[in-house]
Amino acid sequence: MPSPSMPRYETALLYPGTCLFEGTAWSEGRGTADPFSIVGAPGVDAEAFAAAFNRMNLPGVAATPAYFVPSSSKHQGKLCGGVHLHITHRAALRPVELGYRLLALAAETDPAGFSVLPPMEGEEIATL
């Protein structure tokens, strides 16, 4: 395990993109058996979301519908719908693009539930 929150080597490959969900109202899969490979939120139609993701034809990755109940972290104890990401070609995978495209799809398909979380108390927002 590369980290307690990364149970598989493949998780570490997806992390640079899916970690972006940590700053949103959606679950990044913490509290599941496959964090950072599973993302979603309550009320999301997993089949429709996975189909929309797969239509993007991102290189090196495919998604299957996922329904999950996180045992910790965001949405603990609540049924969430989303996707389970599967690496199909490691060398072709572009994890940061994957993360941004997945964020955009989440915001588009779940406008009432998707949001960026405010900074935690004591954190400052970086400015250029």
Side-chain angles (χ1 to χ4, degrees), residues 1-15 18 27-40 62 64 66 68-71 83-87:
M1 289 176 46
S3 156
S5 293
M6 290 188 195
R8 302 179 307 117
Y9 170 74
E10 292 81 5
T11 310
L13 298 175
L14 292 167
Y15 178 82
T18 57
S27 170
E28 67 280 357
R30 286 186 185 271
T32 72
D34 209 0
F36 302 105
S37 295
I38 296 173
V39 298
T64 54
F68 59 98
V69 179
S71 63
V83 292
H84 192 176
L85 300 169
H86 308 279
I87 297 172

Side-chain angles (χ1 to χ4, degrees), residues 37-115:
S37 295
I38 296 173
V39 298
V44 173
D45 179 335
E47 287 80 10
F49 191 72
F53 176 84
N54 287 325
R55 281 192 297 274
M56 289 191 284
N57 292 314
L58 296 178
V61 65
T64 54
Y67 288 98
F68 59 98
V69 179
S71 63
S72 62
S73 196
K74 288 182 267 180
H75 308 302
Q76 179 179 356
K78 296 179 185 171
L79 178 64
C80 296
V83 292
H84 192 176
L85 300 169
H86 308 279
I87 297 172
T88 58
H89 191 280
R90 188 180 71 215
L93 181 68
R94 297 191 303 249
V96 176
E97 178 185 356
L98 158 69
Y100 281 115
R101 300 282 299 272
L102 195 55
L103 284 172
L105 182 62
E108 177 186 316
T109 59
D110 185 24
F114 182 85
S115 64

